[in-house]
Amino acid sequence: MKPLGKRIAMAVLCAVTLTSPLLLSGCSMSELWQGTEQSRKEIAQRSEQDQVQLFNQYVKAVSRFNRMAVMFDYANRPTLNELKAGQHLTVFNAPNFKQLQKELEEAKQAGVPYDEMKEPLDKLLSKLNEITPVAEELDAYYKSKGYTTDNYAKEQQLGPKYVQLYEQFIPIYADFDNLMHKINTDRLQQRLQQLRDAGKKNAAAAQEVSLRLTAVLEKLDSEKEPDVNAINQELQAIGDLANGIASPQYDTVKTSVNSTIGAIRTYMGSKQDNDYKHMVEAYNRYISNMNTTNMNELDQ
């Protein structure tokens, strides 16, 4: 449906809250592991917390790229299509490859939290290293109106190269994006159970809303003929769950949940590209609101 396929953002993982800080200085790891049962639990919690914090750096990078890809698809898609058709451009629009590259490189420098991310991440960064300078050179070329003096010579040189790299980028990015969503969903499912076990009723409900709403969008993207009646029933249940969260800290999120549900129903009724875009934008706004909500405050 779009050159980059589905572009949905992700909710960041909630880091483990430690009961007390760990001071590792002055102790060897062997000494620490010989400590009390409580200290061993705290070390395990800190390890999990570090993984979550690292992973969230990747989540934020991918989510930002996805939001911008949807927001500026109206400009980026014509650029690609016109270059494919051999038409001359006077302005160049492309996804922000440079920002994605920068944020992923910074995240990688901080660490890769899960082994399964390493190979897809390296492939993506390798392709970004190729496409970013080509996109930047084309952008500078059109901004300087260089085509007026070289009779589009640089466009003829770099245009086909950009199209080729873009088409190579799509499946590589999709693989990484899909993996990120899978890891994120698995971890959020674990977090949901932790919240339920801890008796955090509102936070657990908010987490469940996020997972179920994401599953609906995934279903709409993956199934050619989704069961509209079943999805409408699920949307009703999600809306009821969200509206039942009695915390003022969730009010903004609740509004965006209902907006997303409305946008999903509009898209299911029309199947139009523009309504698809509005649906994804509504969902991404919801995720942005979720990511700025302190889940610890929902049950206070």
Side-chain angles (χ1 to χ4, degrees):
M1 185 166 293
K2 290 180 168 53
L4 280 171
K6 74 173 172 58
R7 294 284 67 109
I8 62 175
M10 287 180 279
V12 296
L13 290 169
C14 298
V16 175
T17 301
L18 299 179
T19 55
S20 60
L22 284 177
L23 301 177
L24 301 184
S25 58
C27 297
S28 70
M29 288 306 296
S30 60
E31 290 171 332
L32 284 170
W33 283 113
Q34 292 171 6
T36 65
E37 178 67 21
Q38 179 63 26
S39 70
R40 288 195 292 273
K41 287 181 180 179
E42 289 179 345
I43 290 169
Q45 284 182 318
R46 171 52 62 92
S47 177
E48 181 184 348
Q49 185 176 26
D50 288 344
Q51 279 186 312
V52 166
Q53 290 172 344
L54 286 173
F55 185 71
N56 281 344
Q57 292 186 52
Y58 294 93
V59 168
K60 290 173 183 177
V62 169
S63 291
R64 182 179 291 110
F65 183 79
N66 289 351
R67 285 195 300 271
M68 294 300 103
V70 172
M71 189 177 299
F72 294 105
D73 179 66
Y74 73 92
N76 297 338
R77 181 165 18 177
T79 291
L80 185 68
N81 289 342
E82 287 166 19
L83 285 175
K84 280 184 176 180
Q87 299 174 7
H88 292 317
L89 305 182
T90 56
V91 64
F92 180 78
N93 292 292
N96 198 333
F97 298 114
K98 184 176 182 179
Q99 183 180 47
L100 177 63
Q101 179 186 30
K102 176 177 179 293
E103 292 180 352
L104 289 179
E105 284 176 344
E106 289 174 349
K108 183 180 178 182
Q109 188 172 3
V112 182
Y114 308 112
D115 287 344
E116 60 198 299
M117 290 174 57
K118 291 179 179 178
E119 184 177 350
L121 174 62
D122 286 343
K123 286 183 179 179
L124 177 55
L125 284 172
S126 177
K127 190 54 59 180
L128 283 167
N129 287 337
E130 293 182 70
I131 197 171
T132 299
V134 175
E136 288 191 302
E137 190 170 354
L138 280 169
D139 184 51
Y141 171 67
Y142 289 106
K143 283 180 177 175
S144 70
K145 299 188 184 300
Y147 54 87
T148 62
T149 59
D150 74 348
N151 194 28
Y152 289 96
K154 181 166 283 190
E155 178 187 80
Q156 292 171 5
Q157 173 197 359
L158 293 181
K161 184 176 183 180
Y162 173 75
V163 170
Q164 181 184 37
L165 289 171
Y166 194 105
E167 292 181 339
Q168 293 169 355
F169 170 83
I170 292 170
I172 292 172
Y173 181 77
D175 285 347
F176 186 74
D177 187 29
N178 291 334
L179 175 62
M180 290 288 291
H181 276 275
K182 179 183 180 300
I183 294 172
N184 203 47
T185 299
D186 290 346
R187 301 307 185 271
L188 290 173
Q189 289 281 9
Q190 294 172 12
R191 180 58 173 161
L192 172 59
Q193 190 57 52
Q194 291 170 352
L195 291 168
R196 285 172 172 166
D197 292 344
K200 303 289 187 180
K201 181 180 177 181
N202 286 335
Q207 190 72 80
E208 183 178 348
V209 166
S210 176
L211 287 162
R212 291 172 71 173
L213 197 56
T214 300
V216 168
L217 266 80
E218 296 284 357
K219 185 179 290 289
L220 288 172
D221 251 1
S222 62
E223 297 182 5
K224 290 184 179 180
E225 297 295 335
D227 187 333
V228 173
N229 289 331
I231 290 177
N232 271 316
Q233 290 178 8
E234 174 67 358
L235 292 174
Q236 181 64 52
I238 291 170
D240 291 344
L241 184 61
N243 292 328
I245 297 175
S247 169
Q249 305 298 329
Y250 192 71
D251 286 349
T252 300
V253 181
K254 191 182 300 184
T255 298
S256 60
V257 169
N258 291 324
S259 295
T260 303
I261 289 173
I264 291 171
R265 285 178 168 149
T266 298
Y267 168 66
M268 288 196 300
S270 74
K271 296 297 179 66
Q272 296 298 310
D273 282 4
N274 201 43
D275 288 330
Y276 176 92
K277 177 183 175 183
H278 290 158
M279 175 184 73
V280 176
E281 286 177 337
Y283 173 84
N284 287 348
R285 284 193 296 272
Y286 155 70
I287 289 297
S288 293
N289 288 328
M290 268 291 288
N291 286 344
T292 56
T293 299
N294 188 337
M295 299 283 279
N296 293 323
E297 295 179 352
L298 296 185
D299 290 279
Q300 291 180 353

